[in-house]
Amino acid sequence: MKALRLAIILLFPVTTLCAQNDLLGELNKLDSNTTVPVEATFKSTRIINGHSMETVKKNHMDFRISHRFGRLNSGSYQLYGLDQATLRLGFEYGLSDDLMIGVGRSTEQKAFDFFAKYRLLKQTSGARVVPVSVTLFASSAIRTLRPLTDEELKRSFQNKLTYVYQALIARKFSEKLSLQITPTYLYRNLPELTGEERGLFSLGLGGRLKISRRVSVNAEYFWTARNNGALPYHDSMALGVDIDTGGHVFQLHFTNSLGMIEKQFIGETTGSWGKGDVHYGFNISRTFSFDKKSKRKG
């Protein structure tokens, strides 16, 4: 009897290990036969200024407040930019999990912007591997600032419009690191300054490094292919931190761009990091659900 007990004691770890190995083997087979979508490449629909490949879920609305203070090098009289402010309010709605629309209004140039995003491709692993996510973005913006000169007074409605087209190509390399490349074409019916080209190509680079469960460091840069180097414009660059509180996403950042729509931060950034023309800013995102099914489940 003692020998039997001893045999059971000795064999129990072996049989347990074999059972675990069999279970792991079955799980591996299941993973290899199942296509798994990659989630949360970015925490928000914005990296900082620019859009990320993420879309708002179906029947959800994202209310966004974007805020930029004045330049840090404006001196103590302006409290290093805190006395000045530029604001954008936006409403964004998910028509499906892959298609969203949005509208916003900025105090800068009193501009209204309208856009649509469609997720064409989603990164997956498992049986069918898709290495990247691809989202298509299109927007139009209209400048409604009252004319200050005779030349501006002659602007027609059509000449106040700007169009932007982007492909948002992103990959989540690990639980911590995500990167995105953003080819962009911006077209202005009438540019702000004489000597500007109407069409402008740009290439955006952005990334997210997760440093804790709810905090990440974000960065982005937009290179622009300008033909006229004499114009007072610079490439847009931004550095920031995302904080997810559960119901809200706070984005705190520094950027040389005052504007918060593509027309402005890609095409019209006048600030230079080298000269200290840097703005402190933040984005606040709050999502509301209008999905009756999810409410019933809750």
Side-chain angles (χ1 to χ4, degrees), residues 178-199:
S178 300
L179 297 176
Q180 178 175 296
I181 184 171
T182 309
T184 302
Y185 180 67
L186 185 151
Y187 185 83
R188 294 150 307 183
N189 285 342
L190 183 64
E192 293 293 323
L193 299 179
T194 303
E196 281 189 85
E197 56 268 36
R198 293 192 177 191

Side-chain angles (χ1 to χ4, degrees), residues 69-88:
F69 292 100
R71 293 177 176 178
L72 294 178
N73 62 1
S74 60
S76 59
Y77 181 72
Q78 298 291 347
L79 201 57
Y80 303 99
L82 295 180
D83 283 352
Q84 304 160 334
T86 302
L87 182 71
R88 178 186 180 272

Side-chain angles (χ1 to χ4, degrees), residues 46-48 207-209 216-220 238-242 251:
R46 303 296 193 284
I47 298 178
I48 296 179
R208 173 182 186 245
L209 181 63
S216 69
V217 176
N218 291 13
E220 70 177 11
L239 302 170
V241 175
D242 278 13
Q251 295 180 302

Side-chain angles (χ1 to χ4, degrees), residues 49-67:
N49 291 315
H51 278 261
S52 74
M53 47 66 60
E54 301 288 353
T55 55
V56 176
K57 291 182 180 179
K58 182 180 180 180
N59 295 332
H60 285 64
M61 184 185 74
D62 186 15
F63 173 54
R64 303 186 65 87
I65 301 174
S66 301
H67 197 287

Side-chain angles (χ1 to χ4, degrees), residues 45-46 51 56 60-67 87-93 100-107 111-115 260-261 282-288:
T45 58
R46 303 296 193 284
H51 278 261
V56 176
H60 285 64
M61 184 185 74
D62 186 15
F63 173 54
R64 303 186 65 87
I65 301 174
S66 301
H67 197 287
L87 182 71
R88 178 186 180 272
L89 297 178
F91 295 90
E92 304 172 4
Y93 188 78
M100 64 175 284
I101 56 175
V103 60
R105 200 268 188 182
S106 302
T107 56
F112 289 87
D113 64 280
F114 311 86
F115 71 85
M260 288 157 278
I261 59 176
F282 60 84
N283 301 329
I284 301 176
S285 171
R286 179 68 170 96
T287 302
F288 300 89

Side-chain angles (χ1 to χ4, degrees), residues 77 83 86 102 111 158 178 205 211 240 243 250 291:
Y77 181 72
D83 283 352
T86 302
Q158 195 69 22
S178 300
L205 299 173
I211 58 177
I243 304 172
F250 292 91
D291 192 339

